[in-house]
Amino acid sequence: MKKVIIIDDEAPARELIKEYLNGNDEWVIMGECNNGVDGLKLIREFKPDLVFLDIQMPGMTGFQVLDRLEEVPQIIFSTAYDQYALEAFEVNATDYLLKPYTRQRFKKALEKVQINQDS
């Protein structure tokens, strides 16, 4: 079992991630929240293997969350803004999902996580 946390200020975006993860026994959702401050607390508490992270959120951006972590889990950014992609990969993001994305694209992102964990 791999632990997942979802951090996104939009409830429909969190629901979509949960829907796409549903039925995949490999991943267990440890928590979700709608802002960076609570997200940082969840990451520190659960030490997840993977975080789905939005960028523009109340309180703290996704990048600010990462800046405050001692140990950074694998990150898949999930955002409506394409202009942050380069910066996301500079902080070693595993993938960058541009909203709206398909189930197939989501699956490819999870495959990248698996490849990174196996290597």
Side-chain angles (χ1 to χ4, degrees), residues 12-28:
R14 294 191 309 273
E15 291 303 316
L16 185 66
I17 292 169
K18 289 190 291 189
E19 177 187 326
Y20 285 175
L21 284 173
N22 190 20
N24 187 332
D25 296 337
E26 186 175 349
W27 304 97
V28 59

Side-chain angles (χ1 to χ4, degrees), residues 75-86:
I75 301 293
I76 295 177
F77 281 105
S78 171
T79 182
Y81 301 96
D82 63 354
Q83 67 263 35
Y84 299 111
L86 183 60

Side-chain angles (χ1 to χ4, degrees), residues 7-119:
I7 307 169
D8 196 309
D9 62 336
E10 298 173 8
R14 294 191 309 273
E15 291 303 316
L16 185 66
I17 292 169
K18 289 190 291 189
E19 177 187 326
Y20 285 175
L21 284 173
N22 190 20
N24 187 332
D25 296 337
E26 186 175 349
W27 304 97
V28 59
I29 299 170
M30 302 303 295
E32 64 176 278
C33 61
N34 64 359
N35 66 77
V37 175
D38 290 342
L40 185 60
K41 291 176 190 170
L42 282 176
I43 293 170
R44 287 179 173 158
E45 179 180 350
F46 291 108
K47 300 190 180 344
D49 300 291
L50 173 62
V51 175
F52 287 93
L53 184 60
D54 194 5
I55 294 176
Q56 295 208 352
M57 299 178 291
M60 193 182 298
T61 70
F63 292 116
Q64 290 170 325
V65 169
L66 295 181
D67 284 343
R68 288 165 174 78
L69 289 173
E70 298 79 35
E71 292 182 37
V72 178
Q74 289 200 70
I75 301 293
I76 295 177
F77 281 105
S78 171
T79 182
Y81 301 96
D82 63 354
Q83 67 263 35
Y84 299 111
L86 183 60
E87 188 176 354
F89 289 109
E90 287 174 355
V91 295
N92 297 316
T94 301
D95 208 342
Y96 194 91
L97 293 172
L98 189 60
K99 297 174 187 173
Y101 48 84
T102 64
R103 184 181 293 269
Q104 187 62 30
R105 179 65 184 88
F106 183 88
K107 187 176 177 214
K108 284 184 179 181
L110 284 182
E111 288 169 0
K112 287 182 183 181
V113 170
Q114 190 63 49
I115 289 168
N116 285 350
Q117 287 179 338
D118 291 344
S119 59

